[in-house]
Amino acid sequence: MFLNTLTPKFYVALTGTSSLISGLILIFEWWYFRKYGTSFIEQVSVSHLRPLLGGVDSSSPSSSSTSNGDADTNRQSVSECKVWRNPLNLFRGAEYNRYTWVTGREPLTYYDMNLSAQDHQTFFTCDSDHLRPADAIMQKAWRERNPQARISAAHEALELEDCATAYILLAEEEATTIMEAERLFKQALKAGEGCYRRSQQLQHHSTQYEAQHRRDTNVLVYIKRRLAMCSRKLGRTREAVKMMRDLCVFQLMKEFPLLSMFNIHENLLESLLELQNYADVQAVLAKYDDISLPKSATICYTAALLKARAVSDKFSPEAASRRGLSTAEMNAVEAIHRAVEFNPHVPKYLLEMKSLILPPEHILKRGDSEAIAYAFFHLQHWKRVEGALNLLHCTWEGTFRMIPYPLEKGHLFYPYPICTETADRELLPMFHEVSVYPKKELPFFILFTAGLCSFTAMLALLTHQFPELMGVFAKAFLSTLFAPLNFIMEKVESILPSSLWHQLTRI
């Protein structure tokens, strides 16, 4: 009787409402997945429902040890996701701003520029800045968010005296060409060397003078490094290599720990590759590709390029499949696999499967930002070695067979950190599609709600267009659905005594 009283309008309303609700759930689930990388329904189920349905007692020893392990894992993830200054970062005025003028897009994020401001305060300021008026002005300038206010403060400091850090700021942000930036850095070098000599004589008099000497050393090394980069960009590569070799000596000194953050050896490797001086590249790698030193995409992929160079010009995948890999080819493939395991985002940029953008001022090791920074400067070096990109294309995906669960267990390196995607989204501009590894599949509930929404929407449309026919189908479907239950009830009635069945129905 109930089924016979239902009209087609009821079925239209039912299916339409179901479609609307499932569509709203689908939209919310998709938004949540795009923003946080996980399903909201799955997260709620794991976080709240599973403990209610029989979770582990939080007071048990096993649980406490697990929580300690989780805390250690979290601390490891934080340390792994440390953001580093890009050794090859571009000039704001001469390169980043020119890109903005041409395209109307901002290549740097606020988070990236804020990190640079913190670096500048660390490198270029000290506690004794208030004793010199120009340094006091520059101390405030490095904290300014407005670029024009920073530039005005630098000019104000130069009116008082020759201030090295003021010239640095103008070279980085006001100069519109590399030649103009180089001219300002040469003026900064002259002023910086004078300050360095004075503080060097006084460094042992007090801790205040010692801090000032460290600051003057940081300023001097920064100026020389940027001058070397200007020479490299203006085509004077041999001059740049000579300056970078001298700076690498400073970098290895234990008295100046901050200088290791510059990673000047990566600038040197890129310049040597431009000169095609592969023997010197191998010598630099022998010094810095050490198990005790932190790795980078530049170190790993340059090592792979050198080994690929020995075999790539004659490499053929068909011939290799017939006769097997030679020892040299096996070494090259293993070097490529090592590099891809360290940073799996690089090959798509080197093989031009993904478009490049200007590299950020800071990078996340093993992340998409580091891959962009590496490929932006080193793609030309891979193209110059005949067959190197072909060898990379044929072998790089084989890495993933050795590490099927990269977030849980690595092969030559630690497991891939799970925090890279979030950090890269902060470092890279909005118009860039961040590369994600391992590639996340759509959660089950998104697929389920999408199917449910589509199915109910189709039922609503068919019921609206063909109400009588869909009513017949609905009644037939419900009758079929309840048929097993009716069959069981009939069997129960035939088996049980009528008096007992009568008493049960009364209850």
Side-chain angles (χ1 to χ4, degrees):
M1 289 177 59
F2 174 73
L3 294 178
N4 291 331
T5 57
L6 297 179
T7 62
K9 290 183 179 180
F10 169 80
Y11 293 112
V12 173
L14 177 65
T15 53
T17 305
S18 303
S19 177
L20 176 64
I21 294 173
S22 56
L24 292 175
I25 295 173
L26 172 63
I27 293 171
F28 176 77
E29 274 281 292
W30 178 255
W31 169 82
Y32 195 88
F33 174 73
R34 294 288 292 179
K35 187 169 184 180
Y36 300 106
T38 185
S39 166
F40 175 77
I41 298 176
E42 289 180 5
Q43 189 177 22
V44 170
S45 302
V46 171
S47 303
H48 299 90
L49 297 183
R50 188 168 65 179
L52 294 175
L53 297 176
V56 181
D57 185 11
S58 59
S59 61
S60 65
S62 61
S63 177
S64 62
S65 63
T66 303
S67 63
N68 291 336
D70 291 342
D72 292 339
T73 304
N74 291 336
R75 283 194 291 271
Q76 181 184 3
S77 298
V78 170
S79 63
E80 284 177 348
C81 289
K82 175 185 175 183
V83 175
W84 297 72
R85 189 162 181 83
N86 182 5
L88 297 166
N89 66 304
L90 306 178
F91 294 86
R92 280 199 194 174
E95 293 172 305
Y96 288 121
N97 286 349
R98 288 169 70 89
Y99 176 83
T100 304
W101 298 336
V102 172
T103 63
R105 291 175 166 180
E106 289 289 345
L108 297 175
T109 63
Y110 173 77
Y111 176 68
D112 192 14
M113 292 189 288
N114 187 49
L115 290 175
S116 296
Q118 295 175 23
D119 291 342
H120 294 154
Q121 292 175 53
T122 303
F123 296 150
F124 305 144
T125 63
C126 67
D127 294 337
S128 63
D129 282 345
H130 64 279
L131 300 176
R132 294 190 290 189
D135 288 339
I137 292 173
M138 289 308 301
Q139 191 175 43
K140 295 178 181 178
W142 294 121
R143 296 172 182 168
E144 280 285 349
R145 292 186 179 182
N146 188 346
Q148 290 304 319
R150 288 196 297 270
I151 292 171
S152 299
H155 283 294
E156 183 183 346
L158 288 175
E159 290 175 1
L160 300 175
E161 61 175 307
D162 261 6
C163 181
T165 53
Y167 283 121
I168 289 175
L169 193 148
L170 295 179
E172 291 284 355
E173 301 195 20
E174 189 181 43
T176 56
T177 63
I178 299 298
M179 294 183 68
E180 187 181 351
E182 185 182 39
R183 178 182 61 79
L184 288 167
F185 273 120
K186 285 180 178 177
Q187 292 177 274
L189 179 63
K190 184 178 178 181
E193 285 179 335
C195 292
Y196 177 78
R197 283 193 295 269
R198 288 193 296 271
S199 63
Q200 190 176 28
Q201 295 172 356
L202 302 171
Q203 62 174 316
H204 300 298
H205 289 194
S206 67
T207 56
Q208 189 174 3
Y209 285 118
E210 186 180 354
Q212 189 172 333
H213 178 61
R214 280 199 301 269
R215 190 277 307 272
D216 291 339
T217 304
N218 293 337
V219 170
L220 190 61
V221 171
Y222 185 90
I223 294 169
K224 289 184 176 181
R225 171 175 162 269
R226 291 308 251 176
L227 277 172
M229 294 177 71
C230 287
S231 298
R232 168 68 184 90
K233 291 174 186 291
L234 294 172
R236 305 194 304 272
T237 310
R238 295 188 184 279
E239 179 185 334
V241 167
K242 184 179 182 303
M243 297 172 70
M244 290 172 187
R245 285 188 188 278
D246 295 338
L247 289 172
C248 283
V249 177
F250 268 101
Q251 182 175 314
L252 294 174
M253 291 183 178
K254 294 182 179 179
E255 303 90 71
F256 308 110
L258 277 179
L259 300 185
S260 62
M261 296 176 63
F262 289 133
N263 288 326
I264 301 167
H265 61 278
E266 297 194 12
N267 299 79
L268 178 60
L269 284 172
E270 197 278 327
S271 298
L272 290 172
L273 286 171
E274 177 64 20
L275 294 174
Q276 301 183 46
N277 194 342
Y278 297 110
D280 284 355
V281 172
Q282 185 63 59
V284 174
L285 283 178
K287 185 182 296 184
Y288 289 97
D289 192 6
D290 186 80
I291 192 170
S292 62
L293 297 175
K295 297 292 180 290
S296 67
T298 301
I299 294 290
C300 295
Y301 278 90
T302 302
L305 177 61
L306 291 187
K307 291 189 177 179
R309 176 176 168 268
V311 298
S312 60
D313 56 336
K314 299 177 183 178
F315 178 77
S316 169
E318 293 81 11
S321 62
R322 287 196 304 270
R323 59 172 169 77
L325 294 174
S326 64
T327 303
E329 288 173 339
M330 183 64 72
N331 290 336
V333 171
E334 287 177 354
I336 289 175
H337 286 176
R338 171 180 179 256
V340 174
E341 182 183 352
F342 182 82
N343 194 317
H345 309 283
V346 172
K348 287 191 175 182
Y349 293 108
L350 292 180
L351 298 172
E352 298 180 273
M353 301 164 63
K354 206 165 187 283
S355 59
L356 276 170
I357 60 171
L358 294 186
E361 292 183 337
H362 289 80
I363 59 172
L364 182 69
K365 287 193 175 183
R366 305 187 75 179
D368 193 28
S369 51
E370 185 191 34
I372 292 170
Y374 173 79
F376 187 86
F377 293 99
H378 288 261
L379 176 58
Q380 57 181 330
H381 307 316
W382 279 81
K383 287 183 174 180
R384 192 178 291 126
V385 177
E386 183 183 355
L389 288 175
N390 176 49
L391 179 61
L392 178 68
H393 175 71
C394 295
T395 57
W396 74 280
E397 290 182 331
T399 310
F400 308 125
R401 288 193 289 272
M402 297 187 298
I403 42 174
Y405 305 104
L407 298 179
E408 301 172 10
K409 185 179 180 181
H411 180 60
L412 297 172
F413 299 100
Y414 287 112
Y416 190 79
I418 60 175
C419 58
T420 53
E421 181 186 357
T422 305
D424 277 331
R425 290 190 190 280
E426 295 285 340
L427 289 170
L428 298 171
M430 292 293 294
F431 58 81
H432 173 72
E433 183 182 352
V434 175
S435 177
V436 179
Y437 174 79
K439 192 67 178 176
K440 293 179 180 176
E441 298 180 356
L442 286 177
F444 166 75
F445 284 105
I446 288 184
L447 300 174
F448 175 76
T449 51
L452 181 63
C453 178
S454 304
F455 178 69
T456 52
M458 182 184 67
L459 284 181
L461 179 63
L462 291 175
T463 307
H464 184 266
Q465 293 293 326
F466 310 103
E468 296 181 358
L469 183 61
M470 290 302 294
V472 172
F473 276 121
K475 292 173 183 177
F477 173 75
L478 292 175
S479 300
T480 306
L481 186 65
F482 288 109
L485 182 60
N486 293 332
F487 177 77
I488 293 172
M489 294 294 292
E490 291 175 359
K491 288 296 184 182
V492 169
E493 287 182 1
S494 62
I495 295 173
L496 293 177
S498 57
S499 58
L500 178 60
W501 181 249
H502 179 68
Q503 294 296 328
L504 288 176
T505 53
R506 287 184 62 185
I507 294 174

